Amino acid sequence: MNVVVTGCGTYTRVIIEGRVDANTSPQLQQAILNAFQRDKNIVLDFLNVPYISSAGLRALLIGHKTAASKGGTMKLTNLQDTVKDVITMSGFDSILKIE
């Protein structure tokens, strides 16, 4: 998995490429936490993420809680159907902001 973080004015964009699973979720979690150190609003771009596991969902939940504690936002964008299905089946679609 590759992660690219870019500043976009009013928010920080985190572009994720590759599978998010037990092996790569710590990297995603750290990237999210680092992005929140730069900005209180982040957007996670999932355009090139074909798969997410429960470990990846945990990283997203930690990001959501970090956003709430900072009075910021964390949005997910460009979800592929397979990733969106996992988020929906887990009930995380009612917690996370998805565009």
Side-chain angles (χ1 to χ4, degrees), residues 45-96:
D45 189 333
F46 275 79
L47 180 63
N48 295 308
V49 178
Y51 173 82
I52 189 167
S53 71
S54 59
L57 294 177
R58 180 181 181 276
L60 295 180
L61 183 60
I62 289 169
H64 172 74
K65 290 182 176 184
T66 302
S69 73
K70 292 184 170 281
T73 61
M74 183 181 83
K75 296 179 185 176
L76 282 62
T77 186
N78 296 323
L79 297 177
Q80 292 189 20
D81 289 340
T82 53
V83 173
K84 187 180 274 188
D85 288 345
V86 171
I87 289 173
T88 301
M89 285 188 283
S90 66
F92 276 47
D93 61 330
S94 65
I95 299 169
L96 301 172

Side-chain angles (χ1 to χ4, degrees), residues 8-65:
C8 295
T10 59
Y11 66 92
T12 295
R13 182 177 217 75
V14 179
I15 302 167
I16 306 146
E17 298 177 355
R19 293 170 53 94
V20 180
D21 54 26
N23 293 325
T24 59
S25 65
Q27 181 184 355
L28 175 60
Q29 180 178 325
Q30 192 59 51
I32 291 170
L33 294 176
N34 289 344
F36 275 118
Q37 289 178 353
R38 294 175 56 172
D39 202 330
K40 68 176 188 172
N41 299 306
I42 68 169
V43 173
L44 302 177
D45 189 333
F46 275 79
L47 180 63
N48 295 308
V49 178
Y51 173 82
I52 189 167
S53 71
S54 59
L57 294 177
R58 180 181 181 276
L60 295 180
L61 183 60
I62 289 169
H64 172 74
K65 290 182 176 184

